[in-house]
């Protein structure tokens, strides 16, 4: 008989969860709810409701809320179905096509004081893009920002940026350090000679750290289900007075790394392709959007009104 009562109580608790009643986390035993022949189902539900600040041992309870918070999942489909890249910007020999509307699940990484929210795609794009050579290095950050903008939806978004962007030079226009045949800096980005002090000339930067911290605080990892992706940051790599590389930063296997597209070696400049990688945009949700109340979980994300 007790097993039957336990099953009834568990069923009642599931019903209460579906009504968004049980919320917090604590412990009490389901068999503390006693059903007798004279008790009504309503009484049992009310008894459970009176304990709504508790979550039975062995269960995980979530709060149904009206507005997304940091860490919540949001479902949003970008307006654009496809976009073809400009090969003069990527430096690559062929145009490439991305399909923004395929990314539909996002997660809140920051809520701003003006009510806007910053969200990042839970996965990176399924399509890959290639940057090549000097042009790829010069245009890298600016063109990543442009690609990120293709994932917007004007009904819901107020802007965008590519992950890692933090006011770095988008398009390098002064090529003096990219063409001189004497070594431009005698140490790596971030080292003692500080090439990053001339970031606008190609010396690299560390501005990507802000977004890395935002993402890891929510996801606890940089890894996505779509493999390695680009990070909007440049890196200068000094090897010797006759060898140096201009690199672009990436995220691979959960760690920040880099690959080079342009370098000086054996008394001449050389160009190469980056490894083709995926895209991971950040969008800015407008303030004042109406949402369907939700748990904000991956399986029950917020739906934009």
């Amino acid at each position: 008989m007790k097993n039957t009562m336990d099953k009834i109580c568990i069923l009642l608790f599931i019903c209460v969860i579906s009504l968004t009643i049980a919320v917090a986390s604590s412990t009490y035993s389901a068999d503390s709810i006693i059903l007798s022949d004279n008790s009504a189902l309503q009484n049992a539900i009310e008894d459970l409701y009176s304990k709504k600040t508790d979550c039975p041992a062995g269960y995980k309870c979530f709060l149904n809320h009206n507005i997304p918070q940091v860490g919540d999942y949001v479902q949003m489909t970008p307006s654009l179905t496809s976009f073809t890249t400009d090969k003069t910007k990527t430096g690559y020999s062929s145009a490439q096509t991305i399909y923004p509307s395929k990314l539909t699940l996002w997660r809140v990484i920051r809520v701003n004081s003006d009510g806007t929210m910053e969200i990042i795609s839970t996965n990176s794009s399924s399509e890959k893009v290639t940057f090549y050579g000097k042009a790829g290095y010069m245009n890298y950050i600016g063109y990543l920002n442009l690609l990120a903008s293709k994932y917007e939806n004007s009904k819901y978004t107020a802007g965008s940026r590519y992950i890692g962007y933090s006011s770095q030079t988008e398009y390098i226009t002064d090529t003096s350090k990219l063409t001189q045949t004497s070594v431009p800096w005698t140490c790596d980005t971030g080292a003692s000679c500080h090439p990053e002090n001339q970031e606008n000339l190609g010396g690299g930067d560390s501005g990507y750290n802000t977004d890395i911290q935002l993402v890891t605080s929510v996801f606890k990892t940089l890894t996505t289900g779509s493999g390695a992706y680009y990070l909007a940051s440049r890196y200068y790599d000094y090897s010797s007075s006759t060898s140096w590389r201009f690199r672009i930063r990436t995220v691979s296997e959960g760690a920040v790394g880099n690959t080079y597209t342009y370098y000086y070696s054996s008394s001449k400049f050389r160009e190469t392709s980056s490894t083709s990688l995926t895209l991971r945009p950040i969008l800015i949700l407008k303030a004042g959007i109406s949402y369907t109340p939700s748990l904000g979980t991956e399986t029950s994300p917020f739906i934009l009104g």
Side-chain angles (χ1 to χ4, degrees), residues 201-251:
L201 302 180
D205 67 88
S206 59
Y208 66 94
N209 279 312
T210 298
D211 280 343
I212 293 298
Q213 291 170 8
L214 289 173
V215 172
T216 53
S217 68
V218 169
F219 288 87
K220 311 307 178 189
T221 181
L222 293 173
T223 302
T224 73
S226 307
Y229 54 92
Y230 291 114
L231 185 64
S233 177
R234 298 183 183 92
Y235 180 76
Y236 169 78
D237 174 20
Y238 168 77
S239 180
S240 71
S241 61
T242 58
S243 178
W244 58 91
R245 294 178 175 87
F246 295 96
R247 295 178 174 266
I248 55 180
R249 293 194 200 264
T250 63
V251 174

Side-chain angles (χ1 to χ4, degrees), residues 255-285:
V256 175
N258 55 72
T259 185
Y260 59 92
T261 65
Y262 183 58
Y263 64 106
Y264 187 85
S265 179
S266 301
S267 302
K268 66 181 297 185
F269 283 101
R270 304 170 188 271
E271 296 185 303
T272 186
S273 290
S274 67
T275 302
S276 297
L277 300 180
T278 61
L279 305 173
R280 196 177 188 190
I282 292 174
L283 304 180
I284 314 298
L285 287 179

